[in-house]
Amino acid sequence: DAGITQSPRHKVTETGTPVTLRCHQTENHRYMYWYRQDPGHGLRLIHYSYGVKDTDKGEVSDGYSVSRSKTEDFLLTLESATSSQTSVYFCAISERDRDSNQPQHFGDGTRLSIL
Amino acid sequence: GQNIDQPTEMTATEGAIVQINCTYQTSGFNGLFWYQQHAGEAPTFLSYNVLDGLEEKGRFSSFLSRSKGYSYLLLKELQMKDSASYLCAVTDSNYQLIWGAGTKLIIKP
């Protein structure tokens, strides 16, 4: 299994509070991704990173920010959580290059509930 | 727009064969992935097709027709542990992955 660890695995918090999810990899892969998965929508890309300090938005980036200060860590922050951000969040990594293709490998996910 | 279509749910019998279809319309094409996701777990990579034809991996095979924008995943000798969702994902011209909503496969004894 790809060495990907997400923390926390579960979190319950209140509307308006900040939340940070962490993804840690031991594979030294360049690309890292944050997705959310909701019933009926499949996986939706929030943000991704193609290197240290290099990040870009996905299709559902509003309300989320990311940071990557080290190759192994990719953080997802909800500055002020809303109930619509209740979801399962997956981190993924890939050893792809800019113009090449490789599969993405996923962490175990974080189940986030915002009350 | 970009779109991936898969059936929402399918039912099959243990020991039988099932084919899960995926059709796509994307801005360019740089490969198609199939993933398996058991309930409450992470997706896991099954197969990758970039050229037309069939790729076989044990009980699982995946087929691609680029001209038709069509792929299928074929599962043979179904086992109860194959009960899961199967996700189709296409890489577009910018190497962004476009995901289908997944097909929930129910295996009955």
Side-chain angles (χ1 to χ4, degrees), chain B residues 12-17 75-80 82 107-109:
Chain B
T13 304
E14 190 178 15
I17 300 173
L75 291 73
K76 302 176 185 175
E77 301 169 13
L78 285 170
Q79 302 175 10
M80 297 304 293
D82 297 329
I107 310 296
K108 295 186 174 179

Side-chain angles (χ1 to χ4, degrees), chain A residues 26-41:
Chain A
T26 58
E27 306 296 321
N28 201 36
H29 287 346
R30 182 179 170 195
Y31 279 78
M32 298 185 75
Y33 307 82
W34 276 109
Y35 290 94
R36 61 179 290 173
Q37 188 174 40
D38 305 287
H41 286 279

Side-chain angles (χ1 to χ4, degrees), chain A residues 43-111:
Chain A
L43 286 161
R44 291 185 290 175
L45 182 66
I46 304 171
H47 283 279
Y48 69 99
S49 170
Y50 47 96
V52 173
K53 299 193 189 315
D54 291 323
T55 65
D56 207 348
K57 296 179 180 180
E59 65 173 303
V60 292
S61 59
D62 286 349
Y64 302 95
S65 62
V66 290
S67 66
R68 192 167 177 199
S69 58
K70 298 184 289 185
T71 299
E72 57 266 35
D73 289 326
F74 192 31
L75 303 181
L76 176 71
T77 297
L78 293 64
E79 300 290 347
S80 178
T82 68
S83 57
S84 64
Q85 294 175 311
T86 292
S87 186
V88 179
Y89 291 85
F90 285 104
C91 173
I93 65 174
S94 173
E95 63 177 327
R96 60 160 288 207
D97 238 325
R98 185 170 178 270
D99 296 320
S100 71
N101 224 348
Q102 292 288 341
Q104 295 181 15
H105 299 282
F106 289 80
D108 289 333
T110 295
R111 191 171 296 274

Side-chain angles (χ1 to χ4, degrees), chain B:
Chain B
Q2 311 209 86
N3 194 50
I4 310 271
D5 284 318
Q6 317 178 223
T8 302
E9 187 174 298
M10 298 181 70
T11 302
T13 304
E14 190 178 15
I17 300 173
V18 71
Q19 177 175 311
I20 302 174
N21 296 326
C22 170
T23 58
Y24 61 89
Q25 292 176 309
T26 55
S27 304
F29 177 87
N30 277 306
L32 185 146
F33 294 90
W34 283 97
Y35 282 78
Q36 181 189 60
Q37 185 176 24
H38 286 101
E41 298 183 8
T44 56
F45 168 66
L46 283 178
S47 68
Y48 173 64
N49 295 71
V50 66
L51 301 175
D52 287 354
L54 190 68
E55 295 280 343
E56 297 187 76
K57 272 188 183 181
R59 294 189 299 114
F60 292 8
S61 303
S62 55
F63 171 83
L64 175 67
S65 168
R66 295 182 61 163
S67 62
K68 295 182 178 177
Y70 168 70
S71 173
Y72 67 72
L73 181 69
L74 192 72
L75 291 73
K76 302 176 185 175
E77 301 169 13
L78 285 170
Q79 302 175 10
M80 297 304 293
K81 67 179 182 179
D82 297 329
S83 292
S85 290
Y86 291 86
L87 314 179
C88 172
V90 173
T91 311
D92 69 11
S93 57
N94 294 319
Y95 287 92
Q96 295 300 319
L97 205 53
I98 314 301
W99 292 86
T103 298
K104 182 178 181 180
L105 178 64
I106 300 168
I107 310 296
K108 295 186 174 179

